[in-house]
Amino acid sequence: MKFIKFCFLVLCLALPQFTFAQDETNSAGEVAENVAENVGKTVTGVGDNVGNAIGRATDIISFEKIFTIVVVILMLLGIIRMMNWLFAYAVKRFNRHRLKILRMQPIVNVLLWITTIYALIFTLFNPDQETLYAFMASSALALGFAAQDILKNIFGGLLIIFDRPFQMGDRINVKGNYGEVIGIGIRNTQINTLDDSIVTVPNSAIISDSVSNANSGALDCMVVIDLWLPIDVDVELVRKIAFEACITSRFLNIDKSVNILFFDHFNQTPATNVKIKAYVFDARYEKAFAGDVTEVAKKAFQKAGIYKKKKKEQA
Amino acid sequence: LNILETLIKYKDEFLESLKLNVKKEGHQLEEVVEKTELPGEYARRFTLHPIDDPGQVLAREEELTTLQKAYDNWKITKNCLLIVGESGSGMTSLMNANLKLYEDVKVIENKDNIHSSSKLMDIFKDIFQLEEVNSIKDIPEKLDKEVQRVIIFENIERLFLRKVHGFHLLEDFLLLMHATKDFIYWIVTINKFSLYYLDQTYGFSPNFLSIIKLPPFPIDYLKEVILQRNSGYEILYLKPENPSTLLSQRLKQAEKDKKQSILEEAFFTKLYSFSDGNISRSILFWKNSVIRISEKRVYVKAYEPKPIGDLSLDDLFILEAILQHTSLSSKELQQVLRHSSKGSVLSLAS
């Protein structure tokens, strides 16, 4: 080993001496020719390399391909818009099956995107297996660092679509936002709250938090209406009024039962809490139903003198 | 613009092929009005009224036998009878045919809604020949329990209104019925939509152990009734406005004398699908199908009902309320839908 190192050292020291001695013997014209030849070769080589690189790059990313991608994506967006319009039309036309139709919408959209991207990659670039693995590995690494949150949301979206903790049209409560699910996207979910605001919740937040679902894919949902009355009410009369206020509401789903429950409260002022549990025929009219029943029951209680009793006692 | 127009055309054609595109026609009430003014004598043949002659009540033999059995059962078990059917399905005609079964029978026909205890009291006072009664609860005590009688109470849905405190008359009636069923055989009739509502909310049916549900009339019976009312006239069936491909093919292949029988068959199939076995709706269909009458010859072309189009939720609520009560005045509708009086009038007008 030592011997090899020694030989290498001697060679390095001798080489410049040898070159210098040779240069002395050559004429100046030959030197110039050699230099020009070397420069020419280098320039040609660089030119060839640049040409090859551009050629290969234009093979991979040509104007035609870019134009094709743009056209295909525009067509895809058009198809998605048309599908959304068809879904909206079907929902309007077959309102009874609204939720079944709506739950197909995100799945169709995701499948359309996946199919288009797959078709574009394999028809335009036709990558071999090694390139594909290398691309996937490098993009995974890059995306893993750069777009962690986006990836979380995308995987969250896929989980929501296939695991289905809720579907389009369901009434859910997530992170204190209660409303109807109007869109399940790849990155986020949109909820239309009761005050008609659209809240966009990232999918990663949804899968990492608890979600309560009021109707779980059914068109109707249970509504609990709280009424507060004096502690000494005539329970029989109140039950009758509350029951009739409920069964006469146009929003009631008459195919399901109505329950009236009574609870006493003694926190600050003694009071009777009347809980009406009934089903609204369409979850969209949940608050309209609650408001309707409360208003009618209140009017009937007033007419029956239920509130007056308390006032008299206070006087 | 041309591209846009072409796209819209393709969209319409596509929807047409899917049968999704419902053209918004037929919203105007005027379109439902008869096209031809029928001659007085002919129109009178098709007036809608219950049949008084038991001999004319056909296709209800099974129901008449069940009525007889129910009466025999009441003599032992004291169960009241409930008859369920659609409006215009011949409930009153069946009751009229049934009258001869009973010795002492009284009929309470409720053509209007009853919402006050005093009005109901007046009806019972009149039926039972009572004078000094203060409330419905007192009636059983005033009646002679030794006298057995039959009371037919028609359209019991007239006793309730879908509002808070709108069911008390129905409850009073049921209490009276149970208190007197040992010596009064109560036969109650109800509209099937009202019964569905009352069953789901109040559990109405269990008050009756005998229930007869009137089935729809068969097509042959409806045809017989229509043809009977046309006796003396020659009927000429015309090709419908939009014949099916099958019908067109059959007509092309048929000989001249067979064409009328094919058209007749197609006409009554359409009539049956429109009326769903309801006699009143069948008669309405016929009246709307007659396009000309001349010299004892009636020209008939199957009536093409116009699509109603998309109904708003408010319209559906109004329809539901009317079906549940058989009929409602504007004021009653206002109470049922909890509208203001102006809102109710405007809803009906629109």
Side-chain angles (χ1 to χ4, degrees), chain B residues 95-349:
Chain B
M95 287 295 99
N96 291 345
N98 188 35
L99 289 179
K100 64 174 183 187
L101 286 176
Y102 317 115
E103 288 164 16
D104 182 7
V105 59
K106 297 243 166 86
V107 181
I108 303 171
E109 285 179 47
N110 294 307
K111 288 182 179 166
D112 299 311
N113 293 335
I114 302 165
H115 302 308
S116 70
S117 298
S118 59
K119 201 172 172 188
L120 188 62
M121 275 285 294
D122 290 344
I123 291 170
F124 287 133
K125 273 183 184 175
D126 185 42
I127 286 286
F128 296 121
Q129 304 289 313
L130 298 171
E131 280 177 10
E132 288 175 15
V133 187
N134 295 325
S135 75
I136 294 169
K137 283 175 195 167
D138 299 337
I139 292 176
E141 290 167 15
K142 305 273 177 184
L143 294 174
D144 183 356
K145 293 180 178 65
E146 299 304 314
V147 181
Q148 298 218 328
R149 54 187 119 192
V150 178
I151 296 180
I152 298 171
F153 196 99
E154 289 187 355
N155 308 324
I156 196 161
E157 67 271 13
R158 300 286 190 188
L159 289 189
F160 87 95
L161 193 64
R162 208 184 72 192
K163 64 168 194 169
V164 176
H165 302 311
F167 299 86
H168 66 285
L169 290 183
L170 194 67
E171 288 168 351
D172 287 349
F173 171 78
L174 289 174
L175 286 172
L176 174 70
M177 187 185 84
H178 285 300
T180 57
K181 65 183 180 186
D182 286 347
F183 52 96
I184 298 176
Y185 178 45
W186 292 94
I187 300 174
V188 175
T189 71
I190 191 166
N191 167 2
K192 73 172 186 179
F193 300 106
S194 312
L195 179 70
Y196 183 73
Y197 172 72
L198 289 172
D199 267 353
Q200 298 302 99
T201 52
Y202 256 88
F204 183 75
S205 290
N207 289 293
F208 302 86
L209 289 181
S210 304
I211 298 173
I212 298 176
K213 287 180 180 169
L214 293 188
F217 284 111
I219 187 167
D220 295 335
Y221 172 73
L222 296 177
K223 191 174 172 181
E224 198 182 326
V225 169
I226 299 282
L227 295 181
Q228 247 180 23
R229 296 192 184 203
N230 275 291
S231 60
Y233 282 87
E234 187 195 349
I235 303 168
L236 203 74
Y237 297 95
L238 304 177
K239 200 174 165 184
E241 203 77 49
N242 304 307
S244 65
T245 328
L246 185 70
L247 180 64
S248 303
Q249 275 179 356
R250 282 183 70 195
L251 285 172
K252 264 185 194 173
Q253 288 162 3
E255 290 166 21
K256 261 191 176 179
D257 54 332
K258 280 195 173 177
K259 280 186 179 173
Q260 271 302 299
S261 64
I262 292 170
L263 285 169
E264 185 188 48
E265 188 193 329
F267 176 85
F268 280 103
T269 310
K270 211 160 191 179
L271 177 141
Y272 192 72
S273 76
F274 175 84
S275 67
D276 204 14
N278 184 303
I279 186 75
S280 304
R281 280 207 295 271
S282 302
I283 289 172
L284 274 175
F285 185 87
W286 178 268
K287 284 170 81 176
N288 277 289
S289 300
V290 174
I291 57 165
R292 195 156 66 96
I293 299 172
S294 68
E295 294 171 2
K296 295 285 175 186
R297 183 178 272 191
V298 186
Y299 294 86
V300 182
K301 189 193 261 188
Y303 169 65
E304 298 285 345
K306 300 276 191 300
I308 298 171
D310 294 334
L311 286 177
S312 70
L313 191 67
D314 286 339
D315 295 340
L316 289 171
F317 283 143
I318 292 172
L319 278 180
E320 183 199 33
I322 292 171
L323 283 173
Q324 280 172 353
H325 295 86
T326 306
S327 68
L328 285 172
S329 68
S330 168
K331 197 182 170 189
E332 287 162 348
L333 188 69
Q334 169 200 332
Q335 289 175 317
V336 169
L337 297 181
R338 296 162 184 172
H339 280 174
S340 65
S341 57
K342 278 181 188 171
S344 182
V345 171
L346 288 172
S347 300
L348 276 177

Side-chain angles (χ1 to χ4, degrees), chain A residues 85-86 89 92-94 240-241 243-245 247-252 254-255 281 285 292 296 300, chain B residues 11 14-15 20-22 162-167 171 196-197 200-202 310 313 317 336-338:
Chain A
W85 177 83
L86 265 178
Y89 190 86
K92 201 177 157 194
R93 191 100 192 108
F94 311 104
K240 189 175 161 54
I241 290 173
F243 180 71
E244 288 188 357
I247 62 161
T248 54
S249 172
R250 57 190 185 275
F251 300 106
L252 177 76
I254 59 170
D255 292 332
F281 76 88
Y285 306 109
D292 185 41
V296 171
Chain B
K11 189 184 112 186
F14 174 64
L15 289 175
L20 287 174
N21 208 6
V22 179
R162 208 184 72 192
K163 64 168 194 169
V164 176
H165 302 311
F167 299 86
E171 288 168 351
Y196 183 73
Y197 172 72
Q200 298 302 99
T201 52
Y202 256 88
D310 294 334
L313 191 67
F317 283 143
V336 169
L337 297 181
R338 296 162 184 172

Side-chain angles (χ1 to χ4, degrees), chain A residues 159-167 170 172 206-207 211 213 216:
Chain A
L159 267 178
I160 290 166
I161 288 167
F162 294 108
D163 194 33
R164 299 203 290 187
F166 55 82
Q167 292 151 22
D170 280 1
I172 63 164
I206 292 174
I207 55 162
V211 180
N213 193 334
S216 300

Side-chain angles (χ1 to χ4, degrees), chain A residues 289-304:
Chain A
F289 175 55
D292 185 41
V293 172
T294 310
E295 185 187 328
V296 171
K298 195 164 179 163
K299 278 181 190 167
F301 290 147
Q302 274 171 344
K303 214 171 179 181

Side-chain angles (χ1 to χ4, degrees), chain B residues 26-42:
Chain B
H27 285 282
Q28 292 171 349
L29 279 173
E30 286 79 1
E31 288 178 8
V32 186
V33 176
E34 288 171 43
K35 288 168 281 181
T36 318
E37 195 67 38
L38 300 176
E41 185 272 325
Y42 187 80

